[in-house]
Amino acid sequence: MSNSVKVTLPDGNCLALENGSTVLAVAERIGPGLAKAALAGRIAGELVDLRTPLHEDVAVEIITARDPEGGEVIRHSAEHVMADAVKRLFPEAQVDAGRADHSEKFQYDFLVEEPFTPEDLERIGKEMQKIIAEDATFVRQGVNREEARALFAGKGEDLKLSRLDDIPEGEEISLFHHGEFVDLCRGPHVQHAGQIGAVTLLDASGTYFRGDEKGLKLQRIYGTAYSSKKELRSYLNRMEEARKRDHRRVGVELGLFMLDPVLSPGAPFYLPKGVALYNGLCDYMRDLYPRYGYEEVITPQLFRSELFRRSGHYQKFHGDMYWFQGSDEDEELGVKAMNCPGHCHLFSTGKRSYRDLPIRWAEFSRLHRNERSGTLTGMTRVRTFAQDDAHIYCTPEQVPEEIDGFFRMVSEVYTQLGLEGLEMSVSTRSEEFLGEEKDWDAAEKALIDAVENAGFACGIKEGEAAFYGPKVEADFRDVLGRAWTLATIQIDTAMPGRFGLRYVGSDGELHQPAMLHRAILGSLERFIGIYIEHTGGDFPFWLSPVQAIVLPISEKQIEYAETVKARLMDSGVRVELDSRNETLGFKIRDAEKQKIPLSLVVGEQEAQAGTVSPRLRKSKDKIEAMTMDAIANQLADATAKRSMGPL
């Protein structure tokens, strides 16, 4: 073994260090200022602890609070400080596991006698400040399994002993200490507690050990931390804005849907305004289908389990579906959770020629998935939903053109909806997959090439593909900077073979078609939830559940206002009339709260002239009065053209 290692820095310069030197030693060699600010390192794209020893030549980058990953290290370290504070205040508490994702928050689960109260969180927060002020050094310690078991058994940490058993034999076991607190952890952590900066606790809730609803009931505490109070305030402001935009709140306020977690968990009730929004999205997609070569089909809601055994979903997706005994002996029926098996069966029932391809089948049918109750979140995680789902069957040579058509369709739809800044990634195979590795490799390369040919930088999501094929994921960042995966296109490496799908080629021989899964909006329920939060309920005019409202100044104009409403309805405008005995100012403010794009004021002057006085939401600009026919035609035209605004 060499006595030294060569470390390559981001600027290309190299350092020679003694074998076994740490990442922190690299920072010290670069300069004392960097060593003081260092929080972690990065080797081969992976965050590593500063105490990580170097035994071979590597490229090393030093992470500080200026790097986005620095915040993750700060929050991970604050997580340990929180657990330390809980143990100081509640010595009998058992510490379970922390959070894997520290991009915004930290959390720990605890076994305690009583649920944490707001007063408890305040005490824990103050204790954390004391621990941070103590500025204890974080120390990494490698131990064997017996040493770790003896340590946690001595502390009465039975949950930790259970977690210890999850670490595979032969894998390194590491502990992190600061002061008297110690926990199983891979790191990375800050050098000392004082680097944590500004911290706050956010909430506490109940959870279950290992997610088992029949297991131990635990208490989870959430918090966040940043390197400065300014960064923390910025985060809290974003969270407050997110709370205001929460689709569960806004959707109810606007009368779009109702959620009943007792009688219908994961299954929203759509109210008339919500149906208008839902149908508006469906109608828009349907209008595009002929131009992009799609035809709609409807497949059954129930299938015998043989179909899902054939597709592979029975083996890979069984626990996420609903099953029940049919009327026939040994008949097992599954409620449809996805459209692809039915579409494959439909393809297999007829003789197909290369001249028929590509076949593009779209379907909006209801789908049902047995999501765990603890994972349900308003409209974004439900048990019943519909997708703007489609499957494309084509020759292998047609695949690039079909993917290009997908990108064109995504661009058109998202522009129409006012969604910008898409980021494209390809999800690659996980450890469990159906099909051949060579087919996956070819499919992954085809998708990466397609993304780059479409002019996007292609990110890679390692191991995140579904079991039947890699996919392109279009991630959209909303106004709060949150990333959501919406549109997807996926090459299926398994189902065409499992269903024995064939078409007659130009050579007269049978060939297996390529199969693509495609969604533009994805789950309509999820999309609606995300879209509500992005827009705050301010939908484009063409999609607004109520596009205009007629506001009579007094009871004397109600009859004329009803005439205006009827004329607009005849033109296909979604319009309401506010005939309440309230002031005009009150009615205007209420219309703005309901996010109605256009108010049409009618007083005595308008009634006599046969006109209306338009008023745009969020605009103080005066608009000239318009005749009933003029405003009806204008709004009908704006709807037909799917305009963002009414005028």
Side-chain angles (χ1 to χ4, degrees), residues 453-467:
N453 290 339
F456 294 94
C458 185
I460 302 296
K461 296 184 179 181
E462 294 283 353
E464 294 189 19
F467 64 87

Side-chain angles (χ1 to χ4, degrees), residues 175-189:
L175 308 175
F176 271 88
H177 303 253
H178 71 272
E180 297 297 318
F181 182 78
V182 60
D183 198 7
L184 285 169
C185 190
R186 295 189 180 94
H189 287 290

Side-chain angles (χ1 to χ4, degrees), residues 349-364:
T349 58
K351 188 174 182 179
R352 313 292 177 184
S353 164
Y354 72 96
R355 293 187 179 89
D356 302 322
L357 303 184
I359 290 174
R360 306 179 188 96
W361 282 332
E363 183 165 6
F364 282 106

Side-chain angles (χ1 to χ4, degrees), residues 267-341:
F269 291 80
Y270 280 100
L271 300 173
K273 291 179 183 178
V275 172
L277 176 63
Y278 183 99
N279 286 341
L281 290 168
C282 292
D283 291 344
Y284 172 50
M285 297 306 300
R286 284 190 167 109
D287 286 350
L288 292 177
Y289 283 167
R291 182 150 50 87
Y292 283 91
Y294 288 90
E295 296 178 299
E296 273 196 78
V297 296
I298 299 176
T299 55
Q301 286 289 310
L302 294 176
F303 289 98
R304 285 181 169 169
S305 61
E306 284 78 1
L307 179 81
F308 300 109
R309 292 178 192 274
R310 193 170 189 183
S311 70
H313 289 94
Y314 192 93
Q315 298 86 332
K316 299 287 186 180
F317 209 71
H318 187 275
D320 296 308
M321 294 179 64
Y322 292 102
W323 305 94
F324 63 94
Q325 178 67 43
S327 59
D328 295 344
E329 187 177 354
D330 298 328
E331 183 183 40
E332 184 180 29
L333 295 172
V335 181
K336 182 169 64 173
M338 66 292 295
N339 290 314
C340 40

Side-chain angles (χ1 to χ4, degrees), residues 220 303 305 506 511:
R220 175 173 294 171
F303 289 98
S305 61
S506 59
H511 301 270

Side-chain angles (χ1 to χ4, degrees), residues 424-484:
M424 297 291 178
S425 299
V426 170
S427 295
T428 60
R429 69 173 176 268
S430 62
E431 293 182 1
E432 294 188 11
F433 62 91
L434 294 180
E436 300 296 328
E437 284 191 15
K438 61 180 179 61
D439 294 333
W440 275 81
D441 292 341
E444 288 171 4
K445 184 179 185 306
L447 291 181
I448 292 170
D449 290 345
V451 170
E452 293 176 344
N453 290 339
F456 294 94
C458 185
I460 302 296
K461 296 184 179 181
E462 294 283 353
E464 294 189 19
F467 64 87
Y468 47 81
K471 65 180 173 181
V472 174
E473 298 184 0
D475 290 343
F476 157 72
R477 290 192 179 275
D478 65 15
V479 292
L480 298 174
R482 300 171 300 185
W484 303 93

Side-chain angles (χ1 to χ4, degrees), residues 279-288 416 540-543 636-645:
N279 286 341
L281 290 168
C282 292
D283 291 344
Y284 172 50
M285 297 306 300
R286 284 190 167 109
D287 286 350
L288 292 177
Q416 186 67 62
F541 173 75
W542 66 271
L543 195 54
D637 186 59
T639 301
K641 292 179 178 177
R642 293 193 165 93
S643 299
M644 298 299 285

